[in-house]
Amino acid sequence: MKRAAVALLCAWMLMGCVVNETVDVQKRLEDHIAQAQNMQVQKASHSKKFYSYYLPKDIGRYESDLSGNLFCIDGVRVAMSLNTAAIINQRLYPSNTQQTVKMEGKTMVAYLNGDYLDIQEYAHPFQVGIFDLGNTYAVGLVSDTVLLQATCTALQTGVIAGRMLQIARSVLVDADQIVTYYSNQVPEISSQEKVELFDTQAPENGRIEELFEDHSRIDTPAPVDNNGQSSENSSGETE
């Protein structure tokens, strides 16, 4: 009887740990998103054909192409790509596209949605979802202009989500160029669209999405120049 009571107590404690961790992940998410919402939006430090964005000096950049980038935030790989489907839908198909962050077969442990203001003070709807992958967590941020995604530890989820939003708020897109370039490549979008994390439209060379196959952290710091920026083009240089 005593052993049964001890086993029951242990099981209850383990269940409590799971619940507390889920609550902590949600709380971390809310706290770091609130901080990112209150930050001053910085002018773009990187300019590409279709969009520009600001990259803080403590964030490294590994890969970059026409529609996407791979960043290093606190040793975690974070992929950002244009949400071309939403941008085209807004311009060509005015009915609002409702996007839902999801991962097939994975448990969502934290979620937050709202609006953020960019540097021009335009409002953009966004959603953040955090998913339990078993031995790691996936963080995904979806807005009407960009998609950001990463895998990291439970303790890192809030920080990564906050930095994602910080970058997203600095993004300015050239919708006209995007529509002209992609409209013949992307089929008409229905009024409801579910965004499957890690299965978004691949960048031009497909390289960035492939780097997520091992779901691991980066073991070495991103290459940076003396100013702390990526060794690739920075400080407003056109790419």
Side-chain angles (χ1 to χ4, degrees):
M1 180 66 72
K2 187 175 181 180
R3 288 183 178 178
V6 172
L8 183 61
L9 178 61
C10 290
W12 179 82
M13 291 177 66
L14 287 173
M15 289 178 62
C17 289
V18 172
V19 172
N20 286 335
E21 183 176 76
T22 301
V23 172
D24 286 344
V25 170
Q26 180 68 38
K27 182 65 164 56
R28 293 188 192 105
L29 174 63
E30 294 171 358
D31 289 346
H32 286 281
I33 289 297
Q35 291 176 19
Q37 290 276 40
N38 292 326
M39 288 181 178
Q40 181 178 354
V41 184
Q42 303 294 326
K43 291 183 179 180
S45 58
H46 295 265
S47 180
K48 302 179 72 65
K49 180 178 180 179
F50 297 141
Y51 65 107
S52 61
Y53 64 94
Y54 170 74
L55 193 65
K57 291 184 178 181
D58 62 335
I59 296 179
R61 189 177 58 161
Y62 268 81
E63 294 265 342
S64 179
D65 63 19
L66 192 63
S67 63
N69 296 270
L70 181 68
F71 304 129
C72 175
I73 301 177
D74 293 339
V76 174
R77 288 182 255 203
V78 177
M80 180 179 80
S81 59
L82 286 178
N83 191 349
T84 53
I87 295 168
I88 292 170
N89 186 70
Q90 289 174 13
R91 183 58 59 91
L92 301 183
Y93 315 108
S95 59
N96 292 330
T97 298
Q98 181 180 347
Q99 299 184 106
T100 303
V101 180
K102 76 182 188 77
M103 286 194 77
E104 199 67 44
K106 303 301 181 182
T107 302
M108 181 182 287
V109 296
Y111 174 81
L112 193 63
N113 67 355
D115 296 281
Y116 64 78
L117 296 179
D118 65 20
I119 195 169
Q120 297 178 335
E121 297 193 349
Y122 288 117
H124 299 269
F126 76 95
Q127 299 181 47
V128 183
I130 298 176
F131 301 83
D132 186 351
L133 304 182
N135 60 352
T136 187
Y137 288 78
V139 182
L141 185 150
V142 177
S143 81
D144 59 349
T145 56
V146 290
L147 308 169
L148 292 105
Q149 51 203 29
T151 57
C152 59
T153 66
L155 290 174
Q156 293 172 307
T157 53
V159 173
I160 296 301
R163 301 310 296 273
M164 285 178 171
L165 183 59
Q166 181 186 8
I167 296 172
R169 293 185 63 203
S170 72
V171 173
L172 294 177
V173 301
D174 187 333
D176 290 334
Q177 284 205 61
I178 292 170
V179 170
T180 299
Y181 184 86
Y182 285 104
S183 58
N184 294 326
Q185 304 180 39
V186 181
E188 182 171 347
I189 304 157
S190 63
S191 60
Q192 302 244 336
E193 178 185 357
K194 291 184 178 179
V195 177
E196 178 73 17
L197 294 181
F198 306 102
D199 192 27
T200 58
Q201 180 176 339
E204 300 306 309
N205 57 17
R207 174 64 177 154
I208 290 177
E209 296 295 336
E210 292 168 5
L211 289 175
F212 275 86
E213 292 178 358
D214 63 3
H215 301 292
S216 62
R217 288 167 50 82
I218 294 176
D219 295 324
T220 56
V224 294
D225 61 24
N226 293 332
N227 294 320
Q229 289 283 14
S230 162
S231 59
E232 299 178 63
N233 293 339
S234 59
S235 302
E237 295 182 23
T238 301
E239 299 169 351

